Amino acid sequence: MENFLSRYRNVSILVAVLFAQVLGLAVQVKRSTENESTRLIRVWTVSAVSPLEKAIVWFQSGTSNLWHGYVYLRGVRQENRELKDQIEKLRLERVRLVDDAEQARRLQALLGFKEQYISKTTAAQVIGSSGSEQSRSIYIDKGSNQGLDKDMPVITADGVIGRVLKVYPSVSQVLLINDQTSGVGAILEQSRLQGILRGTPAGEVILEKVMSDETVQPGEKVLTSGGDQIFPKGLPIGTVSKVSAGPEVFLNIRVRPATNLSKLEEVLVITRKEERPAAVAETAPARAVDILSQRLPSVPDKPRENAVTAAGKTTGTPNPAAATSGATQGPAASVPAPKTPPAAKNATTSKPSRAQVATDAVPAPNVQPLAKGAKKPGVDASSTSTPASVKPAMAQKPTPPASKVSQQTTKPIAAPPKPEQQPAVTPVPPEDKPQ
Amino acid sequence: MPITYTSQGQVEVYRFSAPAAILIPLTALFLQAFLPLRLHFFSIFDLPLLVVIFFAVARRSQVSGLLTGAVIGLLQDSLTHHPIGVYGIAKTVVGFGASSLGVRLDVENLGARVLVTLFFYVVHEFVYFLVARGLVGLTLEWSWGHELGSAFANAILAAIIFTLLDRFKLRA
């Protein structure tokens, strides 16, 4: 035996080393379903490699920032203009979305839904990868020291990229969604079909478990469904790029990730998400008049009597426009400060000023015919998409939608002061409008 | 023909200083982990494998070759999220095979290096494929086109890198 080992010494060592590794593999594979602790060799390797990666990334980003921030500023002015335009467009869109969100929250509250909020994120920089085509994972420069933990979702501004797989003190490993061992609960945005998003050995992303009798169109967006208890619901994942018949009774749906997974630089780790019932602005207890007063044009400092008197003195005749204005503002001045959420305040900040301009722009002589059903100022106010809540009284439409609380509150404010102002809010059919 | 039969006494055996023996594999691991982030095509290269082949062929010792392959492979495994040992087994086999070849053949010239790397890259991928599918249960697809393309790319890179690494050789 001894003779045999000495004769085949090298081969014996080879067999022993291979056997040890196979044994180690078998133990790891058997324990992989249990809560596996991080192997010491991983800690050593990551500790050896990551400081150098961090240093290079730090130097690279510093140099890049210096160059792009202080030296190479070509086209920045143009870009700044474009971004400002974009901000304006987004502001308008935001106002619309705030209304939609409020409505959705009200409905969710009615149905007792619970919402998931991303309450805290940590920004991290990508410093390395696994270096293997069979293991699609990256390393980020934040770890347990920064509050990261296993299974935390990792996203970018474009969409989901993966989840935290292993956490070291100052580094974490993130498993990308295109790895074949990853899985994300997903839902198609339009058809609301649910499936499981997986990676393939080639690094593509497919949506599994969608029945073949369903219709899925390329171009449809794929979102997180929240069913995996890792990713919050509604985050974008990608877009359906190809649909074909798959194995058994399922479709083979290929998904193009929203984020370019091969060019990741900075990511966000969702470190805290909260689940709570949908919060609704306290609109129910508040009086309609309170809400309207919040949205109306600013209240003048002078007492109402003085303002009306001053208007009469200036023109010599009663000025209906001034009276209307005073009548509109009067109740607003008398109501207490409403309990309106800040979002609603922000959303309507610009509206009263527009309505104010529209009202003030009406010349005094034209006011009387307008009060009898004139079109122009009222139409002008409408055409600028100003909500009815901030229109002058005479511009109100005859049948306000029931859902608009602010519209319902217009009448009591506009109507009471003087009987002669009543025509100002009386709806007139379009054919009666003066030319 | 670049590969020639020589007697064991004629082939030169090299050794490496301790810093070189430690830092070269670590640098290869670092570059393998870092460069694919910036240069996506770089993921087809396997720098640690090239280092294993280089050390095995230069030292011409089977035990040294297989141990070098095992250590570098295990370190490479530890950067992935798969069980540790898949790369380890594949590189152990390659280290043993390359050093066995180095004992018998003169593989110091450029053509021999390209051919040896080409051959051992395919061997490495085949062993990795077997282990990953058979022991770990990964779903891998074997594509001859991809493997041969990667093998050629690695062989060309090896020709350049081996020339650079020759500077660290010390006569034993």
Side-chain angles (χ1 to χ4, degrees):
Chain A
M1 183 69 180
E2 193 179 331
N3 208 5
F4 177 83
L5 285 179
S6 60
R7 186 175 175 187
Y8 297 102
R9 177 176 156 267
N10 292 349
V11 178
S12 305
I13 293 173
L14 171 69
V15 170
V17 172
L18 288 179
F19 180 75
Q21 291 186 72
V22 170
L23 201 66
L25 262 180
V27 170
Q28 291 174 73
V29 170
K30 191 174 185 312
R31 288 181 180 171
S32 62
T33 51
E34 300 166 18
N35 195 8
E36 172 194 24
S37 59
T38 306
R39 308 274 164 209
L40 208 56
I41 188 172
R42 290 194 198 275
V43 180
W44 291 342
T45 314
V46 171
S47 304
V49 171
S50 61
L52 197 55
E53 289 174 335
K54 274 187 182 179
I56 290 183
V57 168
W58 178 81
F59 178 76
Q60 192 182 11
S61 59
T63 312
S64 174
N65 289 342
L66 196 71
W67 173 255
H68 290 291
Y70 293 97
V71 183
Y72 189 72
L73 297 171
R74 189 181 167 193
V76 167
R77 208 181 290 269
Q78 172 69 17
E79 189 185 359
N80 194 28
R81 267 198 297 269
E82 288 170 4
L83 289 174
K84 279 181 178 171
D85 289 346
Q86 200 177 352
I87 286 171
E88 288 302 317
K89 285 176 190 165
L90 290 174
R91 272 184 182 159
L92 290 173
E93 194 180 339
R94 182 183 170 277
V95 171
R96 185 177 63 79
L97 291 175
V98 163
D99 284 346
D100 289 350
E102 281 298 323
Q103 190 180 10
R105 285 198 193 101
R106 278 196 293 273
L107 291 170
Q108 285 178 338
L110 284 173
L111 295 169
F113 279 9
K114 284 186 175 178
E115 276 186 316
Q116 271 196 341
Y117 292 89
I118 298 172
S119 58
K120 195 179 174 189
T121 59
T122 301
Q125 203 150 25
V126 179
I127 57 168
S129 70
S130 69
S132 167
E133 283 185 318
Q134 275 73 46
S135 170
R136 297 180 191 278
S137 58
I138 54 170
Y139 285 87
I140 56 176
D141 67 341
K142 298 282 163 58
S144 56
N145 291 344
Q146 286 78 30
L148 267 60
D149 206 353
K150 199 182 167 188
D151 283 340
M152 284 180 169
V154 185
I155 60 173
T156 65
D158 296 325
V160 171
I161 66 156
R163 66 183 170 93
V164 175
L165 190 68
K166 286 189 169 60
V167 185
Y168 303 96
S170 60
V171 178
S172 296
Q173 188 180 20
V174 176
L175 184 68
L176 298 178
I177 56 172
N178 63 345
D179 186 87
Q180 61 173 313
T181 58
S182 78
V184 182
I187 186 169
L188 291 161
E189 189 182 38
Q190 299 296 325
S191 56
R192 310 307 291 174
L193 295 169
Q194 293 204 27
I196 300 170
L197 201 87
R198 287 194 185 283
T200 66
E204 292 171 334
V205 181
I206 55 168
L207 185 63
E208 290 181 340
K209 309 296 180 196
V210 176
M211 301 295 283
S212 56
D213 56 349
E214 304 286 358
T215 307
V216 178
Q217 297 294 332
E220 193 169 350
K221 285 186 178 172
V222 185
L223 310 173
T224 52
S225 68
D228 49 26
Q229 301 291 314
I230 292 176
F231 297 96
K233 189 177 178 181
L235 295 176
I237 300 175
T239 313
V240 174
S241 61
K242 191 180 174 186
V243 183
S244 59
E248 300 171 1
V249 292
F250 300 111
L251 285 173
N252 186 7
I253 303 172
R254 284 192 184 179
V255 177
R256 186 173 58 250
T259 309
N260 187 348
L261 297 173
S262 59
K263 286 183 180 173
L264 293 168
E265 289 185 9
E266 281 164 356
V267 297
L268 284 174
V269 184
I270 300 174
T271 51
R272 195 190 305 154
K273 49 186 181 177
E274 290 174 12
E275 195 174 78
R276 58 175 186 254
V280 186
E282 294 177 4
T283 49
R287 291 181 303 160
V289 68
D290 297 343
I291 296 165
L292 183 64
S293 67
Q294 181 66 28
R295 299 186 175 191
L296 276 172
S298 58
V299 180
D301 293 335
K302 295 177 183 177
R304 183 175 161 247
E305 293 80 13
N306 294 347
V308 173
T309 313
K313 278 180 183 176
T314 310
T315 57
T317 53
N319 187 342
T324 308
S325 174
T328 310
Q329 291 170 359
S334 63
V335 295
K339 294 174 183 177
T340 311
K345 281 182 183 177
N346 293 338
T348 55
T349 306
S350 61
K351 292 172 188 174
S353 60
R354 274 194 285 169
Q356 184 73 49
V357 170
T359 312
D360 293 344
V362 178
N366 294 341
V367 168
Q368 194 57 40
L370 287 173
K372 287 177 181 173
K375 178 184 175 185
K376 279 190 176 177
V379 170
D380 287 346
S382 302
S383 67
T384 54
S385 74
T386 308
S389 58
V390 291
K391 288 175 190 169
M394 56 192 159
Q396 293 299 314
K397 289 185 178 176
T399 52
S403 62
K404 296 276 184 182
V405 177
S406 54
Q407 286 184 342
Q408 291 172 347
T409 60
T410 308
K411 275 189 179 176
I413 296 172
K418 292 181 181 178
E420 61 271 18
Q421 290 169 3
Q422 201 62 29
V425 292
T426 307
V428 179
E431 59 269 20
D432 294 339
K433 289 174 184 173
Q435 298 299 315
Chain B
M1 187 71 182
I3 301 175
T4 56
Y5 276 95
T6 55
S7 70
Q8 195 161 357
Q10 288 174 312
V11 292
E12 286 193 83
V13 179
Y14 296 98
R15 63 180 181 83
F16 297 88
S17 65
I22 293 169
L23 289 178
I24 290 171
L26 280 181
T27 307
L29 280 172
F30 161 73
L31 292 175
Q32 188 66 39
F34 183 75
L35 287 181
L37 284 179
R38 304 294 184 267
L39 310 166
H40 187 55
F41 68 90
F42 201 86
S43 57
I44 66 164
F45 295 113
D46 194 339
L47 287 180
L49 174 68
L50 302 186
V51 171
V52 169
I53 295 172
F54 177 77
F55 275 112
V57 168
R59 284 172 173 158
R60 302 179 200 279
S61 160
Q62 290 175 328
V63 174
S64 171
L66 74 89
L67 289 178
T68 304
V71 171
I72 292 179
L74 291 175
L75 291 177
Q76 192 176 2
D77 272 321
S78 60
L79 285 175
T80 70
H81 68 282
H82 296 313
I84 293 170
V86 190
Y87 275 118
I89 291 172
K91 285 189 167 59
T92 303
V93 172
V94 168
F96 182 83
S99 57
S100 303
L101 198 70
V103 170
R104 291 171 175 80
L105 304 174
D106 177 17
V107 285
E108 294 296 316
N109 61 64
L110 191 67
R113 284 175 166 179
V114 169
L115 286 178
V116 165
T117 310
L118 200 70
F119 173 71
F120 280 111
Y121 182 86
V122 176
V123 170
H124 175 268
E125 290 298 292
F126 185 69
V127 175
Y128 182 92
F129 181 83
L130 284 183
V131 175
R133 275 189 77 113
L135 288 175
V136 183
L138 293 178
T139 313
L140 297 181
E141 291 164 359
W142 181 268
S143 162
W144 274 110
H146 178 74
E147 300 303 338
L148 287 178
S150 302
F152 274 109
N154 277 278
I156 292 166
L157 185 65
I160 300 165
I161 287 180
F162 287 4
T163 312
L164 295 174
L165 293 180
D166 279 340
R167 297 165 187 272
F168 296 98
K169 280 179 175 176
L170 303 170
R171 286 183 190 277

